[in-house]
Amino acid sequence: MAKVYEVVKVFGTVGSPFAKRVQIALELKGVQYTFFEEDLRNKSELLLKYNPIHKKVPVLVHNEKALVESLVILEYIDEVWGSDQPILPQQPYHKALARFWSKFIDDKYMPAITKAAFSANKEEREKGSEETVEALEHLENELKDKFFGGESIGVVDIAAGHIAFWLPAIEEAVGLKLLTSDKFPKLHKWGHEYTNHPAVKKNLPQRERLVAFFKARYASIITASK
């Protein structure tokens, strides 16, 4: 049964992998919250109030105190809502490593897959594919257990959720083949374990809608480039 921890709000979109990080972390902690669905083409006054600098999701509001940037929010959630199921390691070295790999995903993998899937230029897409594979190779080598966090989900797993769920949808939508089971057996198995974890599964968007969204995005980019 979920615990009640005062007033918690999450501003996001259904398909945002960054907002889903926050929702999954709260789910793992058993924290009740209210989700506010944002239309990023017509941003609400509340979103602009709570995130006036970046004006984007996700935003976590805890007792009217707002936090932005998903990785920052994950650390806050872990510190505020107890150690029943920690998502960051307690040992300083391992905690620093977890921060490094989480940031690696945002700084290296995310831009690479965006370039690979949604660049108008063919050469840029090929370069993006190479960079994506390189990033995946590093993560494949880093994955030593059932999860990046060991036998339970940790912050790196949550940060890497895009690889487990959004990447296969992108591959289907635009015709890429990057995360293959023969090249990345550990990541492939991890992705299955991660997306079938109860706290994750109940918070994932509908795959069909996600594929349709990526198909439309890809088509509009290709059409505009002609």
Side-chain angles (χ1 to χ4, degrees):
M1 186 175 180
K3 308 165 191 174
V4 179
Y5 288 98
E6 305 166 74
V7 181
V8 181
K9 305 171 187 176
V10 176
F11 291 78
T13 64
V14 170
S16 166
F18 302 102
K20 293 303 175 186
R21 290 174 174 177
V22 177
Q23 291 179 265
I24 289 166
L26 291 171
E27 187 75 34
L28 286 168
K29 298 287 187 179
V31 179
Q32 292 182 346
Y33 63 93
T34 303
F35 183 75
F36 291 82
E37 172 73 14
E38 281 293 326
D39 179 356
L40 297 183
R41 294 167 297 184
N42 183 25
K43 297 172 184 177
S44 71
E45 290 185 10
L46 281 176
L47 177 64
L48 299 178
K49 169 189 172 183
Y50 289 128
N51 191 0
I53 297 174
H54 297 302
K55 302 179 177 64
K56 64 181 183 179
V57 298
V59 177
L60 175 77
V61 182
H62 180 208
N63 293 336
E64 289 307 303
K65 294 179 180 179
L67 279 173
V68 301
E69 300 296 331
S70 62
L71 296 182
V72 173
I73 295 170
L74 292 183
E75 292 211 29
Y76 178 83
I77 289 171
D78 200 47
E79 289 185 19
V80 170
W81 286 297
S83 57
D84 289 349
Q85 185 166 348
I87 58 174
L88 273 102
Q90 301 304 300
Q91 203 273 341
Y93 174 74
H94 295 297
K95 182 180 288 187
L97 276 183
R99 287 172 173 150
F100 170 83
W101 286 110
S102 299
K103 197 167 187 303
F104 172 86
I105 290 162
D106 279 4
D107 291 349
K108 297 295 185 182
Y109 162 76
M110 287 293 194
I113 187 56
T114 301
K115 188 190 299 184
F118 302 114
S119 293
N121 182 275
K122 182 181 178 182
E123 290 181 0
E124 280 294 295
R125 291 199 300 273
E126 290 174 351
K127 183 179 178 184
S129 294
E130 292 173 3
E131 292 172 355
T132 301
V133 168
E134 183 180 353
L136 293 175
E137 286 172 346
H138 286 302
L139 291 165
E140 175 81 6
N141 292 333
E142 181 60 20
L143 183 57
K144 305 294 195 303
D145 298 298
K146 181 178 179 181
F147 297 110
F148 287 98
E151 288 303 307
S152 59
I153 289 175
V155 67
V156 181
D157 300 286
I158 298 172
H162 187 281
I163 297 167
F165 189 77
W166 280 261
L167 176 55
I170 289 172
E171 289 180 312
E172 180 180 339
V174 307
L176 286 172
K177 286 188 178 181
L178 301 174
L179 187 64
T180 58
S181 58
D182 56 335
K183 189 170 180 62
F184 301 107
K186 290 192 290 184
L187 279 176
H188 205 266
K189 183 179 180 181
W190 162 82
H192 177 78
E193 295 281 358
Y194 181 74
T195 55
N196 282 281
H197 187 285
V200 177
K201 192 172 185 177
K202 72 178 292 186
N203 284 291
L204 293 175
Q206 291 182 5
R207 179 184 167 87
E208 295 77 12
R209 291 182 64 183
L210 204 59
V211 171
F213 170 79
F214 288 135
K215 281 184 176 179
R217 180 179 174 184
Y218 178 73
S220 67
I221 290 168
I222 297 302
T223 299
S225 67
K226 293 180 179 178

